[in-house]
Amino acid sequence: EAQLLESGGGLVQPGGSLRLSCPASGFNFHSYAMSWVRQAPGKGLEWVSSINGGGTTFHADSVRGRFTISRDNSKSTLYLQMNSLRAEDTAIYYCAKVRDWGTIWYFDLWGRGTLVAVSS
Amino acid sequence: EIVLTQSPATLSLSPGERATLSCRASQSLSNSLAWYQQKPGQAPRLLIYDTSNRATGIPARFSGGGSGTDFTLTISSLYPEDFAVYYCQQRSSWPLTFGGGTRVEIK
């Protein structure tokens, strides 16, 4: 069964850093693009970052220059390095598998999410 | 950035009734639109992709339609497990964007 399992969330002060991890299992990780999508408490979904099978990355304007998405195909793991965190980054962060290597940008498998809370 | 506007914000219906949800885009998407379902405390689930294609395991009572800037998700007859929040999402251009969601609640 295909699975994604996020970890690395927690409480951090404004200006701090966190690194989220998302190990994948049950599918050929290297063959698929991957993404991070977040959801602020009680709010809707917001796309954050994506990386295709070749390693090309895409970031939302709201996080560009502060967040970096990466992947380690040898470990079947997706990462999100988050620096200079702000209160408005507080959200559940979901790891999501994209339907293909990097052209059909829909999310057909989601993890359970990890909560990032930015507060002093 | 393409803005997706979903309506209504809330839909109050009874089990067995038909639900029609709308998603309007600020510019043409061709057919590059998906729908997701999210239940409380759960991750979203892909229902429909490229306007009208059901994802794996999605029941036939869910259908999608439309083109250009106007899209619909129809649930032909609501089951108790269908009461949830539904989001549309476009892949036509970067950044990827979601609509604000429609809550389908029990009347």
Side-chain angles (χ1 to χ4, degrees):
Chain A
E1 179 190 359
Q3 270 191 323
L4 301 169
L5 191 60
E6 306 91 337
S7 64
L11 176 63
V12 62
Q13 292 188 339
S17 297
L18 280 176
R19 188 194 197 202
L20 305 184
S21 298
C22 175
S25 59
F27 64 96
N28 292 325
F29 180 78
H30 66 275
S31 296
Y32 293 93
M34 298 291 296
S35 297
W36 292 95
V37 176
R38 69 184 180 184
Q39 187 169 34
K43 302 298 184 181
L45 301 170
E46 179 188 15
W47 169 74
V48 175
S49 302
S50 294
I51 184 167
N52 70 12
T56 300
T57 62
F58 307 84
H59 294 277
D61 286 346
S62 59
V63 306
R64 187 173 293 115
R66 300 188 298 123
F67 291 10
T68 302
I69 189 172
S70 62
R71 63 192 298 159
D72 185 336
N73 289 339
S74 68
K75 296 181 179 179
S76 296
T77 300
L78 179 72
Y79 301 100
L80 186 67
Q81 178 67 43
M82 303 186 296
N83 299 329
S84 303
L85 282 160
R86 305 167 180 168
E88 54 265 35
D89 296 319
T90 294
I92 296 172
Y93 284 73
Y94 294 103
C95 169
K97 170 186 168 289
V98 176
R99 276 190 60 84
D100 72 348
W101 186 88
T103 58
I104 307 175
W105 292 97
Y106 302 128
F107 313 115
D108 62 358
L109 178 68
W110 297 66
R112 297 179 68 175
T114 186
L115 178 62
V116 172
V118 184
S119 175
S120 55
Chain B
E1 171 176 323
I2 295 177
V3 176
L4 300 179
T5 302
Q6 291 189 241
S7 61
T10 304
L11 199 51
S12 298
L13 295 168
S14 300
E17 289 194 293
R18 181 184 188 90
T20 303
L21 288 65
S22 173
C23 178
R24 176 164 289 177
S26 60
Q27 55 188 273
S28 179
L29 306 179
S30 182
N31 72 334
S32 300
L33 187 98
W35 292 91
Y36 299 84
Q37 176 194 66
Q38 187 178 32
K39 297 178 182 179
Q42 296 185 18
R45 177 175 69 146
L46 178 66
L47 298 176
I48 301 286
Y49 65 93
D50 282 346
T51 297
S52 59
N53 298 289
R54 275 189 301 276
T56 303
I58 301 304
R61 65 181 182 272
F62 291 91
S63 63
S67 65
T69 61
D70 290 296
F71 301 86
T72 58
L73 172 70
T74 300
I75 310 171
S76 60
S77 178
L78 284 163
Y79 281 46
E81 60 265 32
D82 298 337
F83 292 92
V85 179
Y86 294 83
Y87 295 95
C88 56
Q89 177 242 322
Q90 65 81 22
R91 69 169 182 93
S92 178
S93 69
W94 298 97
L96 306 177
T97 51
F98 290 89
T102 290
R103 180 179 304 277
V104 179
E105 64 176 26
I106 300 176
K107 186 175 182 179

